Amino acid sequence: MDFNDTPEEAAYRAQVRTWLEANAPKRATGDDLEGGGDSMAASKAWQARKAAAGYAQITWPKEWGGQGGNPIQQVIFNQEEAKHPIPPNPFQIGLGMCVPTVATFADDDTKARFVGPALRGEEIWCQLFSEPSGGSDVAASRTRAVRAPDGSGDWLISGQKVWTTGAQFSDFGIVICRTNPDAPKHKGLTMFWVDMHDPGIEVKPIHQMSGGSGFNEVFFTDVRVKDSQRLGAIDDGWKVSLVTLMNERLAVGGASGAGWAQFMEAARNLPGLDGAPALKDQALREKLADWYVQAEGLKHTRNRTMTALSRGQTPGPESSIGKIISAVQMQELAHAAVEMLDQYGIINDPALAPLHGAFQSSLMFAPGLRIAGGTDEILKNIIAERVLGLPGDIRVDKDVPFKDMPTGR
Amino acid sequence: MDFNDTPEEAAYRAQVRTWLEANAPKRATGDDLEGGGDSMAASKAWQARKAAAGYAQITWPKEWGGQGGNPIQQVIFNQEEAKHPIPPNPFQIGLGMCVPTVATFADDDTKARFVGPALRGEEIWCQLFSEPSGGSDVAASRTRAVRAPDGSGDWLISGQKVWTTGAQFSDFGIVICRTNPDAPKHKGLTMFWVDMHDPGIEVKPIHQMSGGSGFNEVFFTDVRVKDSQRLGAIDDGWKVSLVTLMNERLAVGGASGAGWAQFMEAARNLPGLDGAPALKDQALREKLADWYVQAEGLKHTRNRTMTALSRGQTPGPESSIGKIISAVQMQELAHAAVEMLDQYGIINDPALAPLHGAFQSSLMFAPGLRIAGGTDEILKNIIAERVLGLPGDIRVDKDVPFKDMPTGR
Amino acid sequence: MNFDFSDDQKFLKSEARKFLDANAPTGRVRQVLDDEARPYDQALWKAVAEQGWLGAAIPEEFGGLGLGHLELCVIAEELGRAVAPIPFASTVYFLAEAIQLAGDDRQKAGILPKIAAGEVIGAVATSEGPGVLTPSGVQTSVTGGRLTGVKIPVTDGDIADLCLVLAKENGQPGLFLVDLNGEGVTREPVKTLDPTRDAARLTFKGAPAQRLGAAGEGFALIEQVFDRAAVLLAFEQCGGADRCLEMAKAYALERYAFGRVIASYQAIKHKLADMYVKNELARSNAYYGAWALNTNAPEMPVAASAARIAASEAFWFAAKENIQTHGGIGFTWEMDCHLYYRRSRQLSLVAGAPRVWKERLVSHLERRNAA
Amino acid sequence: MNFDFSDDQKFLKSEARKFLDANAPTGRVRQVLDDEARPYDQALWKAVAEQGWLGAAIPEEFGGLGLGHLELCVIAEELGRAVAPIPFASTVYFLAEAIQLAGDDRQKAGILPKIAAGEVIGAVATSEGPGVLTPSGVQTSVTGGRLTGVKIPVTDGDIADLCLVLAKENGQPGLFLVDLNGEGVTREPVKTLDPTRDAARLTFKGAPAQRLGAAGEGFALIEQVFDRAAVLLAFEQCGGADRCLEMAKAYALERYAFGRVIASYQAIKHKLADMYVKNELARSNAYYGAWALNTNAPEMPVAASAARIAASEAFWFAAKENIQTHGGIGFTWEMDCHLYYRRSRQLSLVAGAPRVWKERLVSHLERRNAA
């Protein structure tokens, strides 16, 4: 048991370091991704450079522009890349989820058309699954795709998607649609790729309670797509979506935001109940200990996952617990920090609040993190069912024609 | 808003006080109920004296030996009675649940036969509902009652009940039995009263993890009962049981055991992390505050309930939250207290442990309290469904013949 | 046993709800939320004054209705439920209570009628910076009747006319009344987690100040003022928490996932049951606080602390789990969930954070149990 | 990245499990539980010694297997899973580690081979009464090589041969070895929450004592000993916690309520998911502790504290919610649930309660972050 690279890994790390030293940006270029920010040009340039050197998707086969590498090599690259002031990465959903789906289900021409530009950052993709009425239940999608009445074999897509990350700057998307409302919900769906510049597509940013707008609503009005844009068989879209979602798990990041170390630093400098530094308060010290232990537990759980990858194994179930812990901790820690500030904690002006209002920002963002990418409750269900092998919830919607399913509408 | 009696209540309280001064025992007589203890004679004597004066069941009609009083009068009596060194009360299950059921469903002769002796404490009753395979699900009872083959119309009862409080010293019981396994579970049950001295009935105390044995297993082997012992119609026992269980809610008591005040007292006298008294530890102080606020919340919730009774109203749903809070608090408080003792906390010898080992006793008893009379989980379901009006859990057992229901056996 | 509000008080409550449903729907609250230039809802404030609520607990001789604190409690609960964007707490729970508690006849006669009439908005200024304020930490001072120092944040400091300020005079803490429209006062609005309530930094440079109460008693007095306010704030918190439970329940009963309403899943059922339990415990503690407030009972510090702690916990839990029950839509600006999340923070912090009250509670229990 | 046990270590673990399944089923544990006259399972102790486990981490030159601490960790996990009723922790994690850490050559050569051979049972005695022991609180003292004082509770004090005792010499804390079979020692068994583990009160009256390690270093040394033991205890706790999750899962999958297995209810599913999450966090922290222990890393105090805190929390939660999942039957003496509930208390308290370790952790972080 150690934290060392294997000789092969060490060699790969050295190679990556050398390349990054020579090629990575020397200074940061803004970090506001929301709304396409000023960093987009830098992001695209960095992506193109990585692609040219084979570092854009290391685990992809060489014929797609990857290195045919293993997951630990990708991890090593990510670790080393993070030491440089790199611009944000708006390509991950496309490269991690959408393009592999297209590549699996589209014909060779389509694959050839899309893989390269996506890899080089020239085209950005988004994933259009969630719907207002669906929430955690992707198979409940109501967005309709019907054959065009002109007999061309084209499809017309109408409906609404929601919580679409990056839709505002995406060029293409994959969208799951209802094609047969008479079939049970999982059996009447079909997947298509769409051009996000189509005039029938309207993207509206969602105004979050935290103030930002990282997600979008996407409205489809008679968007015409060719039958060749279909991915997989008609009414077989649920299976296609599973391929996409399988890739999602590896892409979910942990929480950022103010952590135990920031809390400790703040506590050191604040007056506590008796005027002495708040860090002397045993109640806060116990909380600090708990948060530290959780954070370390997650860190070393990631180390166990990486070890499995390094040994060529599939990571164990332990890798599924990250967000469930970090989102709740973010909320609790921010809550405790704001209370530690006492009356002053209500102030969220970055010019006035300690740490530029990081605790207040966390407090307003945490409720979203507890929901995005699977609510606390859905994640516990997933652990219970997929990891522990407990039975699924009782399903009342398995064999009911979709159109007859109760929706409360 | 005040804590005063109404003039009528004050008058009643004065009357009760006078009577208790003249009649209540002057000193305690042991408190070990488990196994029938040495206090049984005292309990019976005190019950007989209360019955003679009409105080045994104040809300019962006068023809049954009550006063036709209202619930607040019973509360006042209980409050005043508790100020005297009274013996334990093993009659409450009988008087509160069993005898009212018998009185509702039996003929007048039977009623006349049982009400008086029960009221005077001459005969003790137990309630035989729970079964090993049933748990929270009383309607899943498997104890069979079949007609005797001799054509007498008698029934033969065979099976096993469990968690029966007081079975070891009870004279009679009411027992719910399966009479029609072909009907859905709620529709094939019948209720009987039985003589606990029947040789076909065997009572075995359950050895609890906390050491004590307050509950019993009760085994039935071809126990013959007359058809006149039946309570309610054949196969209609579920409805009868609801009458019994409706009365249970009012009978459930709160948790006793060491509380915040004991914790505070212990903390005052123990060295803390830095050698100073543990009561200076802010982490423990915050816990104390939380426990105090919970305990006060429960106390004043009871005051709200009593106010409703005093105004002749039905108590609101707030009265259902007591055990759910107090059982968990008992476990957490005991846990924290034992940790406050540090290494020494493991000692549970009453001669050595602070407060005669009260915290250690609480720690071992709390798991039972979280289960008895409805687990935390069942109680939350009850609050969600009966108080908040949320839907019941999806039932797979409603229309299935009982014999075809999956049980894992 | 008579531990509940009277029928008259319950009638007042239901009338208050009707009034606020009509005059303070969340659409109106959002006008304050979304418009930085609008620190509070002036029309609502005027209407509330016309209802007589500002003087509900002010004696008739000083222009109030002379009802009592129990009446104020039921109004507070409804204001909390409505997340009303008005300076009611600052003016009524803090300033009017302080003046009734410690004011001399001239102060009472001069100020209370104006409060009751809606002519004076109040504020209370204790905090001077991040962290807990202890007696020795007070920097603001009064010399020769002139007050100098900085207070931040001051709830409603940007819109108030009269401010109660904790400051030192001859090295001893005292409470002082300062006319914020007078000389020597600079106000700057500060942004907070709850934009539906106003807040400011007040800079005093020799502002004329008159003392309220005895010299050197400032800290003891402000604790008493906070105790009284804590009970009333607890009712606002109970109102908000109950509204969150209602919202969560209504949404859970109409939202379908996997073919059935989410209210049929135990994860949601038990979450709502937990909310209910916390809300009821908070309500019971608040009732005891109301009794202590109304009878001026010696139990007041303990009762007020318990009410504040329980209500802060209940509102926080209900506000955050209401969002969680709503899922994604609960995180949007358009849904009202965040109004309650924000207000739960404002009410928890405005009279000092719950951890400060826990310490206060335990100190009192310690003394009581030692005695 | 190589943050896992090796294949050899995993093989040792599976062999250990097989051995304990055969030699320490809970029926055997119950013989100790139910019989007051039986302080531990002597046959199991002998068999464990024969397996060489007592000397797994003792160098070959001192009669051990000379494997390493990682091997000891996997054995510890299996012992915890089996709630083994033997003085393994006292003898191996505490005494043997202390002697390897601070013993001189003579002490090592004299004692370690006997431990490895199963000829000496060890104990460690620090606590003298209820509450946290601080350096100034130590009353036991050594004068002229004779130790006097009372230690309570001493795990395995009733059956141990050799005891490590914290005592003062010339006013300075030191660690001392005392032959419990020698003169000046009185042992009285004390009843504890976990009757499957022995405990005693030891009264020393001029018992011959030899110092272990430097004079005056007793507190620093015992902290190092506790750090090492904490990591190994954490593995026992992880083993116990995982077994609780298995028991709860198995029962939930076979127990029917309302026509379906209780494992199909979210209340149970999410409870078990919570257990799983806590257990995995505990395991990851324990692994880091194992790495620090095995490499003698400077991070040891922090790593050991984190391992102990996480494992104590996980085992407590798993043990109590395992009973809850079982419902009524889980509260009976006959079910094994309470064996784990009891052991979770024993393991949490034996090297000092988690709150003591939280303070220790934060003190270290404080210094580290200030540096």
Side-chain angles (χ1 to χ4, degrees):
Chain A
M1 187 177 278
D2 58 56
F3 293 97
N4 305 329
D5 289 336
T6 63
E8 296 75 23
E9 288 163 6
Y12 190 78
R13 191 182 297 276
Q15 167 200 324
V16 163
R17 273 191 189 157
T18 307
W19 184 84
L20 284 165
E21 281 303 327
N23 292 277
K26 299 295 177 235
R27 57 185 182 80
T29 46
D31 56 6
D32 175 30
L33 241 189
E34 294 184 355
D38 57 357
S39 63
M40 186 56 86
S43 293
K44 290 194 169 191
W46 175 231
Q47 184 71 13
R49 185 168 289 202
K50 286 198 289 181
Y55 286 122
Q57 286 290 98
I58 291 164
T59 59
W60 278 11
K62 289 190 179 163
E63 61 269 29
W64 289 18
Q67 298 183 345
N70 58 43
I72 195 74
Q73 292 178 329
Q74 183 70 57
V75 168
I76 288 171
F77 184 87
N78 294 351
Q79 288 172 340
E80 296 300 323
E81 186 190 27
K83 296 174 184 167
H84 296 264
I86 48 163
N89 182 343
F91 314 106
Q92 206 43 56
I93 288 171
L95 295 175
M97 300 170 70
C98 303
V99 175
T101 305
V102 172
T104 305
F105 291 98
D107 57 46
D108 285 350
D109 285 354
T110 310
K111 207 188 301 186
R113 156 73 186 80
F114 285 124
V115 165
L119 195 76
R120 294 188 295 273
E122 294 160 9
E123 291 171 354
I124 300 181
W125 286 71
C126 62
Q127 181 240 75
L128 299 142
F129 284 12
S130 289
E131 295 198 6
S133 66
S136 312
D137 184 7
V138 167
S141 288
R142 310 179 70 79
T143 292
R144 289 293 309 271
V146 295
R147 291 283 191 181
D150 60 11
S152 60
D154 292 354
W155 298 81
L156 297 172
I157 299 176
S158 293
Q160 184 192 348
K161 296 290 177 179
V162 77
W163 302 114
T164 312
T165 306
Q168 73 275 36
F169 49 68
S170 284
D171 301 293
F172 297 97
I174 61 175
V175 56
I176 193 161
C177 303
R178 176 80 41 200
T179 39
N180 183 357
D182 297 315
K185 63 191 276 193
H186 292 87
K187 296 185 177 160
L189 297 162
T190 304
M191 187 82 77
F192 299 90
W193 64 261
V194 295
D195 181 341
M196 293 296 288
H197 303 295
D198 189 291
I201 296 180
E202 189 186 2
V203 176
K204 282 190 191 168
I206 295 172
H207 189 182
Q208 301 161 9
M209 62 170 265
S210 54
S213 297
F215 306 99
N216 301 275
E217 293 179 294
V218 181
F219 296 87
F220 290 77
T221 311
D222 287 335
V223 174
R224 181 179 282 256
V225 301
K226 300 240 171 277
D227 191 51
S228 62
Q229 290 176 244
R230 178 162 48 78
L231 299 169
I234 294 172
D235 292 349
D236 212 20
W238 178 245
K239 251 190 249 165
V240 180
S241 77
L242 291 181
V243 172
T244 316
L245 294 171
M246 220 167 50
N247 288 307
E248 186 174 32
R249 215 168 117 196
L250 296 173
V252 172
S256 54
W260 67 266
Q262 283 74 38
F263 190 100
M264 179 178 260
E265 205 43 44
R268 204 192 288 280
N269 299 309
L270 285 172
L273 293 169
D274 51 1
L279 187 49
K280 301 269 177 212
D281 184 317
Q282 203 60 32
L284 300 179
R285 293 173 82 80
E286 286 205 0
K287 285 186 178 129
L288 267 171
D290 290 336
W291 295 325
Y292 175 84
V293 168
Q294 281 184 336
E296 283 287 296
L298 288 184
K299 177 171 139 192
H300 294 305
T301 298
R302 284 192 295 275
N303 286 337
R304 289 166 63 201
T305 300
M306 276 192 283
T307 299
L309 290 175
S310 170
R311 293 182 180 182
Q313 301 157 349
T314 308
E318 65 278 0
S319 59
S320 53
I321 64 179
K323 204 199 68 149
I324 214 168
I325 290 293
S326 54
V328 170
Q329 184 187 102
M330 180 192 245
Q331 191 166 41
E332 286 178 359
L333 190 148
H335 176 245
V338 165
E339 295 221 331
M340 178 167 67
L341 294 165
D342 205 24
Q343 291 185 47
Y344 199 89
I346 197 72
I347 299 176
N348 67 347
D349 183 336
L352 295 172
L355 281 88
H356 309 295
F359 295 124
Q360 285 77 13
S361 294
S362 283
L363 192 74
M364 295 312 289
F365 188 72
L369 193 64
R370 285 183 59 199
I371 293 163
T375 62
D376 296 353
E377 292 76 19
I378 290 285
L379 293 180
K380 286 188 188 179
N381 254 16
I382 288 175
I383 290 173
E385 295 169 17
R386 296 196 207 156
V387 179
L388 298 178
L390 306 183
D393 291 343
I394 290 190
R395 295 294 289 266
V396 297
D397 58 350
K398 279 284 190 195
D399 304 312
V400 185
F402 181 74
K403 65 178 165 45
D404 300 332
M405 236 173 55
T407 65
R409 283 160 183 248
Chain B
M1 186 178 278
D2 58 57
F3 295 96
N4 306 329
D5 289 336
T6 63
E8 295 74 24
E9 289 163 6
Y12 190 76
R13 190 182 298 276
Q15 168 199 322
V16 163
R17 274 190 189 159
T18 307
W19 184 83
L20 284 166
E21 281 302 328
N23 292 277
K26 297 296 178 233
R27 56 182 184 82
T29 46
D31 55 6
D32 174 31
L33 242 190
E34 293 183 355
D38 58 355
S39 63
M40 185 57 85
S43 295
K44 291 194 169 192
W46 175 231
Q47 184 70 15
R49 187 169 288 202
K50 286 198 290 182
Y55 287 123
Q57 285 291 96
I58 292 164
T59 59
W60 278 12
K62 289 190 180 164
E63 61 268 31
W64 289 18
Q67 299 183 344
N70 57 43
I72 195 74
Q73 292 178 328
Q74 183 70 57
V75 168
I76 288 171
F77 185 87
N78 294 349
Q79 288 172 340
E80 296 300 324
E81 186 190 27
K83 296 174 184 167
H84 296 265
I86 48 162
N89 182 342
F91 314 105
Q92 205 44 53
I93 289 171
L95 295 175
M97 301 170 68
C98 304
V99 174
T101 305
V102 172
T104 305
F105 291 99
D107 56 44
D108 285 349
D109 286 353
T110 309
K111 208 188 300 185
R113 155 73 186 80
F114 285 124
V115 165
L119 195 75
R120 295 188 295 271
E122 294 159 10
E123 290 171 354
I124 300 180
W125 287 69
C126 62
Q127 182 241 74
L128 299 142
F129 285 12
S130 291
E131 295 199 6
S133 65
S136 312
D137 184 8
V138 167
S141 287
R142 311 179 71 79
T143 293
R144 289 294 308 272
V146 296
R147 290 283 189 181
D150 60 9
S152 61
D154 292 353
W155 299 81
L156 297 173
I157 299 176
S158 293
Q160 184 192 349
K161 297 290 176 178
V162 77
W163 302 113
T164 312
T165 307
Q168 74 275 38
F169 48 69
S170 284
D171 302 291
F172 298 95
I174 60 175
V175 56
I176 192 161
C177 303
R178 176 82 38 200
T179 38
N180 182 357
D182 297 316
K185 62 192 274 193
H186 292 86
K187 296 183 177 158
L189 296 163
T190 305
M191 188 82 78
F192 300 91
W193 63 262
V194 294
D195 181 340
M196 292 297 288
H197 303 296
D198 189 291
I201 296 181
E202 189 187 3
V203 176
K204 282 191 191 168
I206 295 172
H207 190 182
Q208 301 163 8
M209 62 170 265
S210 54
S213 298
F215 306 99
N216 301 276
E217 294 178 293
V218 181
F219 297 86
F220 290 77
T221 311
D222 286 335
V223 174
R224 181 178 281 257
V225 301
K226 299 239 168 281
D227 191 54
S228 62
Q229 291 178 243
R230 176 161 49 77
L231 300 169
I234 294 173
D235 292 349
D236 212 21
W238 177 245
K239 250 190 246 165
V240 180
S241 75
L242 292 181
V243 171
T244 316
L245 293 171
M246 219 168 50
N247 288 307
E248 186 174 32
R249 212 167 120 194
L250 296 173
V252 173
S256 55
W260 67 267
Q262 284 74 37
F263 189 99
M264 179 177 261
E265 205 43 45
R268 203 192 290 279
N269 299 310
L270 285 172
L273 293 170
D274 51 3
L279 187 49
K280 300 269 177 211
D281 183 318
Q282 202 60 32
L284 299 178
R285 293 172 82 80
E286 286 204 1
K287 285 184 179 133
L288 267 172
D290 289 337
W291 296 325
Y292 175 84
V293 167
Q294 281 185 336
E296 283 287 296
L298 288 184
K299 176 171 141 192
H300 294 304
T301 298
R302 284 192 295 275
N303 285 337
R304 289 165 63 200
T305 299
M306 275 191 283
T307 300
L309 290 175
S310 170
R311 292 181 180 182
Q313 301 158 351
T314 309
E318 64 278 0
S319 59
S320 53
I321 64 180
K323 202 199 69 149
I324 215 169
I325 289 293
S326 54
V328 169
Q329 184 187 106
M330 181 193 243
Q331 191 167 39
E332 286 178 357
L333 190 148
H335 176 245
V338 166
E339 296 220 330
M340 178 167 66
L341 295 166
D342 205 23
Q343 291 183 48
Y344 199 89
I346 197 72
I347 298 176
N348 67 347
D349 182 336
L352 296 171
L355 281 88
H356 310 293
F359 296 123
Q360 286 77 13
S361 295
S362 283
L363 193 74
M364 295 312 290
F365 188 71
L369 193 64
R370 285 184 59 199
I371 293 164
T375 62
D376 295 354
E377 292 75 21
I378 290 284
L379 293 180
K380 286 187 187 178
N381 255 16
I382 288 175
I383 290 174
E385 295 170 17
R386 295 195 207 156
V387 179
L388 298 177
L390 306 184
D393 291 342
I394 289 190
R395 294 295 289 268
V396 296
D397 59 349
K398 278 287 194 195
D399 304 313
V400 185
F402 180 74
K403 66 177 164 46
D404 299 333
M405 233 173 57
T407 64
R409 284 160 182 248
Chain C
M1 181 61 63
N2 185 26
F3 191 62
D4 195 0
F5 290 95
S6 69
D7 286 344
D8 280 356
Q9 289 153 357
K10 288 180 179 174
F11 179 75
L12 172 61
K13 185 165 188 287
S14 79
E15 290 298 303
R17 179 169 305 186
K18 279 184 215 156
F19 173 83
L20 290 167
D21 282 348
N23 291 276
T26 52
R28 285 276 291 275
V29 180
R30 286 178 168 278
Q31 291 175 3
V32 177
L33 176 75
D34 289 330
D35 184 352
E36 271 195 41
R38 194 193 286 249
Y40 73 112
D41 185 331
Q42 285 182 283
L44 177 63
W45 181 245
K46 193 156 172 284
V48 158
E50 282 161 10
Q51 291 290 311
W53 293 357
L54 299 174
I58 292 176
E60 286 177 271
E61 59 174 312
F62 298 123
L65 297 183
L67 294 170
H69 284 95
L70 297 180
E71 284 72 14
L72 201 50
C73 287
V74 302
I75 291 170
E77 182 176 341
E78 293 305 318
L79 290 168
R81 183 186 160 83
V83 285
I86 49 174
F88 196 89
S90 306
T91 306
V92 178
Y93 313 157
F94 287 93
L95 183 62
E97 287 300 316
I99 288 168
Q100 290 190 74
L101 183 75
D104 57 29
D105 290 347
R106 193 183 47 80
Q107 287 166 329
K108 285 181 185 168
I111 300 166
L112 293 176
K114 287 187 186 158
I115 288 178
E119 291 161 13
V120 161
I121 291 177
V124 60
T126 57
S127 173
E128 301 186 356
V132 179
L133 185 72
T134 49
S136 62
V138 178
Q139 300 294 318
T140 304
S141 65
V142 172
T143 314
R146 299 277 177 165
L147 188 141
T148 297
V150 176
K151 291 288 181 180
I152 175 170
V154 181
T155 304
D156 298 316
D158 207 31
I159 56 177
D161 303 293
L162 188 61
C163 189
L164 185 66
V165 184
L166 177 69
K168 281 187 174 166
E169 190 180 33
N170 303 321
Q172 297 297 317
L175 290 186
F176 298 88
L177 289 165
V178 177
D179 177 358
L180 294 186
N181 303 313
E183 59 172 315
V185 179
T186 311
R187 321 181 186 206
E188 295 156 279
V190 299
K191 290 201 169 108
T192 71
L193 289 168
D194 184 7
T196 67
R197 296 290 284 107
D198 178 67
R201 166 158 59 192
L202 299 185
T203 306
F204 301 99
K205 287 189 179 155
Q210 56 166 291
R211 204 178 55 242
L212 185 80
E217 296 289 320
F219 237 83
L221 267 181
I222 199 72
E223 286 197 335
Q224 285 182 64
V225 172
F226 274 25
D227 277 346
R228 301 168 84 82
V231 171
L232 296 157
L233 292 169
F235 277 90
E236 286 207 6
Q237 291 167 311
C238 284
D242 273 0
R243 181 71 192 115
C244 288
L245 174 53
E246 279 175 30
M247 289 165 73
K249 177 181 156 181
Y251 187 77
L253 282 170
E254 77 178 35
R255 173 73 177 181
Y256 278 71
F258 305 102
R260 50 184 171 116
V261 290
I262 62 171
S264 70
Y265 291 97
Q266 281 187 332
I268 298 295
K269 290 168 69 171
H270 291 191
K271 187 191 291 296
L272 268 52
D274 288 341
M275 269 193 221
Y276 173 80
V277 169
K278 284 178 194 287
N279 288 5
E280 286 306 313
L281 292 180
R283 178 169 298 277
S284 296
N285 275 298
Y287 277 29
Y288 188 63
W291 168 80
L293 171 63
N294 199 49
T295 57
N296 221 348
E299 289 88 345
M300 186 62 186
V302 166
S305 302
R308 179 152 180 80
I309 293 163
S312 296
E313 165 65 19
F315 196 9
W316 165 241
F317 183 81
K320 75 189 174 75
E321 299 307 324
N322 180 35
I323 297 173
Q324 184 71 12
T325 302
H326 277 71
I329 195 129
F331 188 59
T332 63
W333 192 265
E334 285 72 24
M335 285 297 285
D336 288 340
C337 301
H338 69 112
L339 299 182
Y340 289 84
Y341 190 76
R342 294 173 185 282
R343 183 60 62 86
S344 85
R345 294 308 78 218
Q346 201 275 336
L347 291 173
S348 246
L349 296 167
V350 66
R355 58 190 278 271
V356 179
W357 288 86
K358 288 183 185 178
E359 173 51 33
R360 189 158 149 61
L361 171 63
V362 175
S363 305
H364 276 276
L365 293 177
E366 216 175 343
R367 268 174 263 153
R368 198 173 79 182
N369 278 40
Chain D
M1 181 59 64
N2 184 26
F3 191 62
D4 196 359
F5 290 95
S6 69
D7 287 345
D8 281 355
Q9 289 153 357
K10 288 180 179 175
F11 178 75
L12 173 61
K13 185 165 187 288
S14 80
E15 290 298 302
R17 179 169 307 186
K18 279 183 216 155
F19 173 84
L20 290 167
D21 282 349
N23 291 277
T26 52
R28 285 275 294 273
V29 180
R30 285 177 170 278
Q31 291 175 2
V32 178
L33 176 75
D34 289 329
D35 184 353
E36 269 194 40
R38 195 193 283 249
Y40 72 112
D41 186 330
Q42 284 181 283
L44 178 62
W45 181 245
K46 193 155 172 283
V48 158
E50 281 161 9
Q51 290 290 310
W53 293 358
L54 298 174
I58 293 176
E60 286 177 272
E61 60 174 311
F62 297 123
L65 296 182
L67 294 169
H69 284 94
L70 297 180
E71 284 71 14
L72 200 50
C73 287
V74 301
I75 291 170
E77 184 177 338
E78 293 305 318
L79 290 168
R81 184 186 159 83
V83 286
I86 50 174
F88 196 90
S90 305
T91 306
V92 179
Y93 314 158
F94 287 93
L95 183 62
E97 287 298 318
I99 287 168
Q100 290 190 75
L101 183 75
D104 58 29
D105 290 345
R106 192 181 49 81
Q107 288 166 328
K108 285 182 186 168
I111 300 166
L112 293 176
K114 288 187 186 156
I115 289 178
E119 291 161 13
V120 161
I121 291 177
V124 60
T126 57
S127 172
E128 301 186 357
V132 179
L133 186 73
T134 49
S136 61
V138 178
Q139 300 294 319
T140 304
S141 65
V142 172
T143 314
R146 300 275 177 167
L147 188 141
T148 296
V150 176
K151 292 288 181 180
I152 175 171
V154 182
T155 304
D156 298 315
D158 207 31
I159 57 176
D161 302 294
L162 189 60
C163 189
L164 185 67
V165 183
L166 177 68
K168 280 186 175 166
E169 190 180 33
N170 301 321
Q172 296 296 317
L175 290 187
F176 297 87
L177 288 166
V178 177
D179 176 359
L180 294 186
N181 303 314
E183 59 171 317
V185 179
T186 310
R187 322 178 184 208
E188 294 156 279
V190 300
K191 290 201 168 105
T192 72
L193 289 168
D194 184 6
T196 68
R197 296 290 284 108
D198 178 69
R201 166 160 57 191
L202 299 185
T203 307
F204 301 99
K205 286 189 181 156
Q210 56 166 289
R211 204 177 57 241
L212 184 81
E217 296 288 321
F219 237 82
L221 268 181
I222 199 72
E223 286 196 336
Q224 286 181 64
V225 173
F226 274 26
D227 277 349
R228 301 168 84 83
V231 171
L232 295 158
L233 292 170
F235 276 90
E236 286 207 5
Q237 291 167 311
C238 284
D242 274 359
R243 180 73 192 113
C244 288
L245 174 53
E246 280 175 29
M247 290 165 73
K249 178 182 155 181
Y251 187 77
L253 282 169
E254 76 178 37
R255 173 74 176 180
Y256 278 72
F258 305 103
R260 50 181 170 118
V261 291
I262 62 171
S264 69
Y265 291 96
Q266 281 187 332
I268 298 295
K269 289 169 70 171
H270 291 191
K271 187 190 291 296
L272 268 51
D274 288 341
M275 269 192 221
Y276 174 80
V277 169
K278 285 178 195 285
N279 287 5
E280 287 305 313
L281 292 181
R283 178 168 297 278
S284 295
N285 276 298
Y287 277 28
Y288 188 62
W291 168 81
L293 172 63
N294 199 48
T295 57
N296 221 346
E299 290 88 345
M300 186 63 187
V302 166
S305 302
R308 178 152 181 81
I309 293 162
S312 296
E313 165 64 19
F315 196 10
W316 166 239
F317 183 81
K320 75 189 173 75
E321 298 308 325
N322 179 35
I323 297 173
Q324 184 72 11
T325 302
H326 277 72
I329 195 128
F331 188 58
T332 62
W333 191 265
E334 285 71 24
M335 284 298 286
D336 288 340
C337 302
H338 69 112
L339 300 183
Y340 290 85
Y341 190 75
R342 293 173 185 283
R343 183 61 61 86
S344 85
R345 294 307 78 220
Q346 201 276 335
L347 291 173
S348 245
L349 296 167
V350 66
R355 59 190 276 272
V356 179
W357 289 86
K358 288 183 185 178
E359 172 51 32
R360 188 157 151 62
L361 170 62
V362 175
S363 304
H364 276 276
L365 293 177
E366 216 175 344
R367 270 175 261 152
R368 196 173 82 182
N369 278 42

